[in-house]
Amino acid sequence: MKVLIVTLDNVGDTIISLAIHNALRGNPAFTAGYWTKDYSRAVVPLAGADIEHYHCDPFWDRSPGAGKGGKLAFFKTLLKIRRARFDAALIVHSNWRKNLACLLAGIPRRYALKGAFGTDYVAPAGSHVLDSCRALLKALTGADPGELTYPLSPSSYGEAPATAEILSKGRWAVAHPFSGNPSRNLPLAAWSDILDFLAAQGLRVLVNASPAEKELFAPARGAYAARPGDLLFSCDLDLDITNLAYALSRAVLFIGNNSGPLHLASAVGTPSVGIFQDSWIARIAPRGKVFPALAVFKDSPSELSAADIIEKARGLLAAPAAAPRLPV
């Protein structure tokens, strides 16, 4: 059976959905492909370069830092999928638009959680996205796949030689001070003390940031203002998701907000501190190779101090092999 995994969502949700492909990979009865946003298209090759993959940004949704997708590009992609003749679609975060798109793509069985135009509806046992993925898989295969996760291995993708040369020198931490939703972000004022702590540990730091974010982050450089060679920015290295994944796999620590890079760090097994709102933990907390230590806020990340983050980071650096397997 030819199955299309539909994740027209952002990077974090697409990384989580790799658990579906991971579960189907060893089952000879199923061949799985992907339909993702253009915005998150680079995630899928991390799970395998040979995955059949369609991508376009939906015309009804905006991605962080981008506008809505174009209708013409969307329907061209839909026609390509129709020609591929999929037997079933597993629609993550389903709604009537995604379900209808799969109907128009000629997919006869459409497994969904909600929304009109599905054919088979599932009820997850829990609220996490992985619980939804598990329910979709059970409905498709007739068997419970058990607890799902989405580990990634650097051996499954490539690394640019220039990046490899830089990141092979010294011990690294990766910081992600931003996200697609500013309400999730730790105040920039806290990062100066965090970077001072990382400098005291003898760590070099890679900050994942766009050129505009790099300028915003400049006042928070802390001790690294005097040692700029030990503070690098992803935008200066032109890192794509593949090379960011490799950088994370080399790092001894990741610190960042609730966003795609935190899920990526969890997937490649990097000990991580995640800044997370308590109401989101049950739904989308990372569950990759390692589960991050979470610094939790209730209403605003301004409730957290640099000391809260440093305490979590200190514990992970003291015993990185003991990174927690449960969100705490």
Side-chain angles (χ1 to χ4, degrees), residues 57-63 66-71:
D57 288 326
F59 59 86
W60 62 80
D61 189 24
R62 297 180 185 274
S63 298
K68 294 180 180 180
K71 292 181 180 179

Side-chain angles (χ1 to χ4, degrees), residues 49 74 86 98 104 115 118 141-142 149 164 182 191 206 220 227 236 245 260 265 324:
F74 185 87
F86 283 90
K98 296 176 187 178
L104 294 175
T141 65
T149 187
W191 281 95
L206 172 66
R227 38 190 287 200
D236 295 331

Side-chain angles (χ1 to χ4, degrees), residues 176-320:
H176 186 58
F178 302 95
S179 73
N181 184 346
S183 68
R184 299 178 180 179
N185 297 349
L186 186 72
L188 286 177
W191 281 95
S192 180
D193 287 344
I194 294 171
L195 262 63
D196 284 348
F197 166 76
L198 297 176
Q201 310 308 304
L203 296 175
R204 306 181 77 190
V205 176
L206 172 66
V207 180
N208 187 50
S210 68
E213 290 168 343
K214 176 184 175 181
E215 294 304 314
L216 290 173
F217 193 72
R221 298 184 186 205
Y224 290 95
R227 38 190 287 200
D230 289 333
L231 183 69
L232 302 184
F233 289 83
S234 60
C235 58
D236 295 331
L237 300 176
D238 197 24
L239 293 190
D240 58 12
I241 287 181
T242 298
N243 276 282
L244 178 60
Y246 240 112
L248 287 165
S249 72
R250 290 181 177 274
V252 299
L253 180 69
F254 171 86
I255 301 174
N257 300 303
N258 173 14
S259 62
L262 176 60
H263 286 278
L264 194 56
S266 173
V268 300
T270 305
S272 302
V273 179
I275 293 105
F276 235 84
Q277 189 168 11
D278 59 358
S279 60
W280 283 89
I281 293 174
R283 287 184 282 172
I284 202 170
R287 295 182 181 179
K289 280 184 182 176
V290 296
F291 291 9
L294 298 182
V296 180
F297 63 90
K298 185 177 186 299
D299 297 310
S300 168
S302 62
E303 298 164 19
L304 297 170
S305 67
D308 296 321
I309 311 304
I310 290 169
E311 179 185 4
K312 300 280 188 182
R314 193 188 305 277
L316 292 177
L317 289 172

Side-chain angles (χ1 to χ4, degrees), residues 120-133:
D120 299 73
Y121 291 91
V122 303
S127 57
H128 198 277
V129 178
L130 283 178
D131 296 318
S132 300
C133 294

